[in-house]
Every structure is written in structure tokens, then in C-alpha cells.
Amino acid sequence: MNSLSEAAAAAGKSVGLTSDTITFTGGRPLNGRIVVRGAKNFVTKAMVAALLGDSPSTLRDVPDISDVRVVSGLLGAHGVMIERDVDGGVIRLDPTNVKSAHMAEINAHAGSSRIPILFCGPLLHQLGEAFIPDLGGCRIGDRPIDFHLSALRSFGAVVDKLPEGIHLTAPEGLRGAKIQLDYPSVGTTEQVLLTAVRAQGLTELSNAAIEPEIMDLINVLQKMGAVISVDADRVIRVEGVERLSGYDHRSIFDRNEAASWAAAALATGGEIFVEGARQAEMLTFLNVFRKAGGIFEVFDDGIRFAHPGTPLKPVVIETDVHPGFMTDWQQPLVVALTQATGVSIVHETVYEQRFGFTDALVKMGATIELHRECLGGQKCRFGQRNFVHSAVISGPTKMHGANIEVPDLRGGFSHLIAALMAEGESTVTNVGIIARGYENFLGKLRMLGAEFTVEG
Ligand code: EPU
């Protein structure tokens, strides 16, 4: 029996996560309609951009996820006044009284998100110094920040690494720079943008990441008064300006969340209408979804994803930077691929350790072998470095319930899908991690007919 009122879920109100342990009864298709709001990987960065303005900013379609709360906390610690309408998805950020935060307030956020590293440029511009706590985020690889620090040094920042975090100053101010990335890192591209917009002179960034979320950050910065051009060859040029104002912006939708629900429909043999999903930003995902046998239909207000009712087909996937197949899409899709007839291959080329989540799937009956070699595509930078970064999935296999533990955000969502697909009961622990990036996921699961009980 549904304990949650459907009306509340439709209105986007959260089902409180009172415990980190949930028991699912699987073996039933997920059917229905859910709404996807703003992208975690854009909204949090746009909130940081508000720091650069000299007047308030308004961001719309903000999801109620814990990463937004972490960034709000850090902004608040730096004197940004925040007004938030959680249900309406509107956040208003007033940076007119930005100040240095107390170390204790900053450290309260240590280890909880990757976003704090993006505060460097804006804080250096506003205050002349920045202190960044230890970073968190998903444990899916080493996740170094060497590109970030090297880019900041190119602008003239002086970086001191302390036991409790990083302290930055800019004794001579920040000047535009010519920067070439070894790899089109999303975070470093954002770091460069957020620093270059108010640095003196011209910045040229080569081998930049061009994910749609980055393009939307550029939209925001342009609204604020920045001058930024993007060439077709991954070169971004920024002409620094002295001042920026606030912005009013509606976020791009969360294409990672949309792809996760699409995979959930395919894995459980169901049909899910994802309101808010758009075709253009999901082109590469949709191609693979179709090749695996999935059915989708694009509408003005969203995309309908469905299982075909016939056996799924195996696919060969290589994750890559945009416009390639996103690394965040592979984990949920792998769950569906355990039901395809034949052998699928996934070559992960963005993170060196993103297959930890497959242990649980194997425990539930999946046949998945992991390899150090680059399988099914180009040689990547992990091939010679002894990282287990290719997966071979043989199907179809019958999945049964098990006790499993959520390892990271996307891997965790894939565990939920697996628990709902498998016959019998599964107890999933550490579920709280999923609230970092999936708004009201329990309410949405209830709306789709999932059966589960939250412990406690
Ligand atoms: N890298 C370095 N040095 C650096 C920065 C990155 O070697 O200084 C490496 C990373 O270790 C990784 C690769 O470059 O192997 C790509 O990392 P990138 O910087 O592009 O990733 P990110 O900015 O840390 C964002 C998203 C990730 C998403 C990736 C790729 C956020 C908060 N996170 O991470 O999202 O997978 O881009 O698109 O935007 C998630 O949402 O679950 C998630 C992990």
C-alpha cells in the first residue's frame, strides 16, 4: 500500500528519508509519469556564479537535493543571503555582503561535495583570498584537482596546501591566461570560466569540456555581463570584465536523472514518461537506448521511455566527454543490459574506478566480468595503468533479491533499479547518498508503483 499521497508526490514534495536502509520487493514494472527538474551538475555551479555579481541572482527549477543544500550552506557562510522556495524550485542569492567565512563554518562542509573547489575564482575576485575545505563527492576514482590548481596558478593565484584544505591568495590580482587542458575536464573548464570572467584581459582555454551544463553556465555568465565565445574546436575565449551583475535563469533539465529513469523503465519492463526531458541533450543516450531495444517517443514536454515487450539487445558502449556517451549514464543502463540476450561491453574512459557497483549486481545473479584492457573501442588513458575499467555483461540472467550497499550516487540509483527488477526482497543500505543528486526519488518511485518499506 502506498504510504505517500500521490498528490504530494506530484507536487514534488519530498518523502522524508528517515533511514538509510530500505527494503524493496522487486519483480514489478515501473509505470507512470515523473518530473525531472534542474540539473545537479549545473544548478550548483550557477549558484557559485552568483557570488561574482554585484546584485542578487534568481535561479529557477532548482531541485531539492542535498548538493544544493551543501552549496547553500557554503554560500551562506560567506555572507550570501539566500531565500528559497523549495517546492517552487526558486532560489534567490544576494551576494552584496560577501565576507570571509570562519574556518569552522567552511570545514562543516568538508567532504560533502566536489563543488567547493569552484569557489576559488569567485572568492579571489570578491575577497582577495579563498579557503577550500577537503573535497567530497563520489568515490569513483582518484579525482585529483591538479588541473584546477594549475589553471588557477596561470591566472596568478598563489596556492598553499594546508592539512585542513587549500588556501589561495592573488597578491597581484587575477590576469587572463592561455590554458591548455590535458583532458577536457568539466570541473576545470567551469573553474576557468568562473575565474576568467572577471580576470584582467583575455583568457583562452583549449581542449575545454563542452557539456550542455557548461553551455548553460556560459548562458548565465553572459546574462551577468561576461563576454565569452565558444569555438567548434573546444576552444573557449573569455574577455574579462570589471563587474558582473546578478542573473535570472531557468536551469537546464537533469539529463543524468532522465537517463536513469529511462534505464529504470527498460530494466523493469515498464514505461516511464519523464516530464522535462529534452531530446537534444540526450541524443547519444537515445541512440544507445534504441540499439538496446528500448522504445522512446519525444514530446514537447518530455520523453516517454518504454520496454519493447520483446528481448533486449546487447550493445557496445564507450563512455566519453560530450558529445559522447556520458559516464553517468552507464551504471543504470548496465542493470538493463543484464537482461539483454547476448554480450554487452562497456568501456569506461572518464573515471578509472566506476564499476564498483557491479559487485552487487553479480551478487543478485548478473554475469558481469571486469577487465583491465580497453575493450570494445579506442585505447584510453587507463589501458596502460592497470585500472579495471571495462565490463562484459552476459545476459539474460535471472536476478534475485539480496542485501546490498549503495557505493556512490549513480551506482546507488542502479542498485535501486536492480532491487526493483529482481525477484523477491532486497535490502539496500546507505541509500541517503542518492539524495545528493536525485530529487524526491522515493516519492517518484512510489508514483511509479514501486513497493518498498523504509526502515525505522
Ligand atoms: N581530472 C584530473 N585532474 C583534475 C580534474 C579532473 O585528472 O584536476 C580527471 C578526473 O579524475 C576524471 C576526468 O578528469 O578522470 C574527468 O573529470 P571532470 O573534471 O570532467 O569531472 P568533474 O568535474 O569532477 C563532473 C560531474 C560528474 C561527471 C563528470 C563527467 C559535477 C559535480 N560532477 O565531475 O558527475 O561524471 O563531470 O561528466 O559536475 C555525478 O553527477 O554523479 C558525477 C560524478
Side-chain angles (χ1 to χ4, degrees):
M1 182 59 198
N2 255 353
S3 63
L4 174 88
S5 119
E6 295 206 345
K13 292 205 171 72
S14 299
V15 176
L17 194 53
T18 49
S19 158
D20 253 5
T21 303
I22 301 185
T23 300
F24 292 91
T25 306
R28 277 214 208 158
L30 292 180
N31 287 316
R33 181 181 181 113
I34 49 101
V35 179
V36 163
R37 296 205 281 186
K40 164 179 94 70
N41 291 347
F42 162 76
V43 162
T44 44
K45 289 64 177 290
M47 288 171 70
V48 179
L51 261 180
L52 287 161
D54 57 15
S55 55
S57 292
T58 303
L59 187 58
R60 300 173 195 279
D61 254 0
V62 176
D64 186 18
I65 53 176
S66 48
D67 268 15
V68 166
R69 288 193 284 275
V70 170
V71 179
S72 298
L74 262 179
L75 287 170
H78 286 93
V80 176
M81 297 291 291
I82 302 171
E83 283 168 40
R84 188 165 173 209
D85 166 6
V86 175
D87 289 348
V90 182
I91 196 160
R92 188 171 179 277
L93 304 152
D94 183 349
T96 41
N97 292 313
V98 168
K99 59 169 176 58
S100 291
H102 295 293
M103 189 80 106
E105 280 178 295
I106 301 177
N107 270 331
H109 301 282
S112 44
S113 163
R114 306 280 306 162
I115 310 300
I117 189 74
L118 297 178
F119 277 63
C120 295
L123 287 181
L124 283 172
H125 283 303
Q126 292 287 47
L127 302 170
E129 68 165 351
F131 176 75
I132 308 301
D134 248 4
L135 298 181
C138 293
R139 301 271 164 250
I140 49 182
D142 208 20
R143 306 197 79 178
I145 52 168
D146 51 336
F147 300 165
H148 291 258
L149 298 185
S150 153
L152 286 161
R153 287 188 179 109
S154 310
F155 284 106
V158 175
V159 180
D160 271 328
K161 289 190 189 168
L162 308 173
E164 58 283 7
I166 308 162
H167 183 247
L168 298 103
T169 49
E172 292 168 31
L174 297 169
R175 296 173 309 275
K178 214 169 169 162
I179 298 165
Q180 161 95 31
L181 296 183
D182 290 346
Y183 185 82
S185 151
V186 167
T188 316
T189 301
E190 293 159 343
Q191 180 79 265
V192 169
L193 285 168
L194 291 166
T195 309
V197 283
R198 276 184 49 191
Q200 255 180 51
L202 186 72
T203 294
E204 184 182 284
L205 177 66
S206 306
N207 204 23
I210 50 164
E211 268 62 7
E213 294 78 15
I214 292 176
M215 293 302 126
D216 213 21
L217 183 62
I218 292 176
N219 292 337
V220 159
L221 293 168
Q222 191 182 49
K223 282 181 177 175
M224 297 176 80
V227 182
I228 305 173
S229 64
V230 184
D231 289 356
D233 56 354
R234 291 191 179 275
V235 177
I236 296 180
R237 287 188 182 79
V238 184
E239 289 174 40
V241 296
E242 252 175 49
R243 59 168 289 270
L244 295 171
S245 58
Y247 64 81
D248 189 324
H249 191 77
R250 183 172 296 282
S251 168
I252 183 174
F253 77 103
D254 197 315
R255 64 202 174 109
N256 292 340
E257 188 187 350
S260 298
W261 291 114
L266 201 60
T268 63
E271 178 181 328
I272 301 179
F273 186 92
V274 181
E275 190 180 321
R278 288 202 317 235
Q279 181 180 18
E281 291 82 3
M282 297 189 75
L283 211 67
T284 310
F285 177 83
L286 294 174
N287 285 334
V288 173
F289 190 80
R290 176 169 281 159
K291 284 198 212 169
I295 293 171
F296 65 87
E297 243 185 304
V298 179
F299 296 87
D300 284 350
D301 59 343
I303 304 180
R304 182 180 76 89
F305 297 95
H307 188 281
T310 52
L312 300 182
K313 294 180 249 171
V315 289
V316 176
I317 304 171
E318 185 162 73
T319 65
D320 206 348
V321 295
H322 188 77
F325 189 91
M326 280 202 82
T327 167
D328 303 278
W329 294 338
Q330 60 96 343
Q331 297 92 331
L333 202 65
V334 162
V335 181
L337 293 178
T338 64
Q339 302 312 301
T341 307
V343 176
S344 296
I345 296 175
V346 181
H347 180 204
E348 169 61 58
T349 78
V350 180
Y351 289 110
E352 67 273 27
Q353 282 177 37
R354 220 173 185 181
F355 284 121
F357 74 101
T358 59
D359 289 350
L361 304 187
V362 170
K363 192 171 169 191
M364 297 171 88
T367 306
I368 303 176
E369 285 171 4
L370 302 181
H371 295 267
R372 291 191 157 75
E373 293 78 9
C374 299
L375 296 184
Q378 310 278 331
K379 289 255 176 287
C380 78
R381 63 211 162 103
F382 303 140
Q384 300 303 318
R385 291 169 54 203
N386 215 19
F387 291 120
V388 173
H389 71 294
S390 293
V392 178
I393 305 123
S394 309
T397 44
K398 206 166 168 46
M399 304 277 279
H400 52 80
N403 294 342
I404 54 180
E405 185 181 351
V406 164
D408 60 68
L409 179 65
R410 308 291 167 199
F413 193 84
S414 77
H415 284 183
L416 298 190
I417 303 176
L420 288 161
M421 177 178 95
E423 287 297 330
E425 287 203 341
S426 293
T427 299
V428 188
T429 50
N430 215 14
V431 172
I433 289 182
I434 299 172
R436 272 193 47 219
Y438 290 87
E439 180 177 44
N440 187 21
F441 62 98
L442 291 180
K444 290 177 185 176
L445 285 173
R446 288 266 199 234
M447 294 276 289
L448 297 171
E451 237 185 273
F452 60 86
T453 47
V454 181
E455 249 179 47

